[in-house]
Amino acid sequence: MLRSPIKHCRHCGTLVVYRIPDDGDTRERAVCPACGTIHYENPLNVVGTIPVMDGKVLLCKRNIEPRRNKWTLPAGFLELGETAAEGAARETDEEAGAQIEMQGLYTIISVPRVGQVHLFYRARLLSTHLAPGPETVEARLFAEHEIPWDEIAFRTVSETLKLYFADSQAQASSPSATPYPVRDFSLG
């Protein structure tokens, strides 16, 4: 995991100990010996969209680490107080300045190695007018054959794009095919 272990209780400040709590839990947790608070560490949620117009997908070139100057779908961490879809729409606006119509959830990708879950929604791009924010060097549309596959920032993005284009082709060749099923899988 990339996150540092909890050292002090968020309630009283006492140094925590790692042990299996006495409440029937089966995993070692950060437990405060002073106030008894059990601190749970949960995965972070990354939410984003696959904005599409005329068969082309919107990608953003990152202006921040990790993977600066690599291409990605507009996405970022879910904030408290928003739904996953609201967070995905917000990230699309912040990173690309794109106007979209949200569609269905498309991929749910667990990445246990880094303690994250990535959720990507399909979205219809409503305009080619883009206004990238400070986290983005450039935002533009790519047809499948134009995508800089070797310059994609994250494996979750590459896998989502590959699935999306395969499903788009299947839908085009057989309109009775199940349109864009939700894909739920894990990457090591």
Side-chain angles (χ1 to χ4, degrees):
M1 293 272 269
L2 296 177
R3 287 179 270 166
S4 299
I6 295 170
K7 292 186 180 181
H8 294 90
C9 178
R10 289 185 285 254
H11 293 285
C12 72
T14 301
L15 195 62
V16 299
V17 294
Y18 276 82
R19 64 174 178 80
I20 296 175
D22 299 329
D23 64 356
D25 200 338
T26 58
R27 291 182 179 228
E28 190 174 82
R29 312 277 185 195
V31 179
C32 178
C35 72
T37 299
I38 301 168
H39 298 278
Y40 297 91
E41 297 174 83
N42 302 108
L44 295 172
N45 293 303
V46 173
V47 293
T49 62
I50 312 161
V52 178
M53 178 183 267
D54 300 325
K56 294 184 175 185
V57 173
L58 174 67
L59 295 179
C60 298
K61 190 176 221 183
R62 293 174 59 81
N63 194 31
I64 57 172
E65 294 296 347
R67 314 260 169 56
R68 184 183 202 127
N69 291 318
K70 301 286 185 186
W71 293 93
T72 188
L73 291 165
F77 291 112
L78 181 65
E79 299 286 346
L80 292 174
E82 64 186 3
T83 67
E86 289 168 345
R90 174 187 51 77
E91 285 291 342
T92 302
D93 181 48
E94 287 178 4
E95 293 189 4
Q99 301 303 309
I100 59 167
E101 175 185 284
M102 290 294 287
Q103 296 177 325
L105 179 62
Y106 185 61
T107 55
I108 304 167
I109 308 169
S110 298
V111 192
R113 174 180 56 82
V114 294
Q116 296 178 357
V117 178
H118 294 214
L119 299 100
F120 286 99
Y121 289 82
R122 291 181 305 104
R124 187 170 69 89
L125 192 60
L126 301 175
S127 167
T128 56
H129 175 73
L130 304 173
E135 294 182 1
T136 303
V137 173
E138 176 185 3
R140 67 180 172 130
L141 291 165
F142 290 89
E144 181 179 12
H145 70 276
E146 299 170 323
I147 291 183
W149 293 103
D150 292 340
E151 296 297 315
I152 299 296
F154 306 104
R155 187 170 167 212
T156 54
V157 171
S158 319
E159 295 299 321
T160 295
L161 288 169
K162 288 174 189 172
L163 288 168
Y164 176 78
F165 285 117
D167 285 344
S168 293
Q169 288 174 354
Q171 187 67 31
S173 65
S174 176
S176 62
T178 304
Y180 306 103
V182 175
R183 309 300 186 110
D184 185 349
F185 57 98
S186 181
L187 293 175

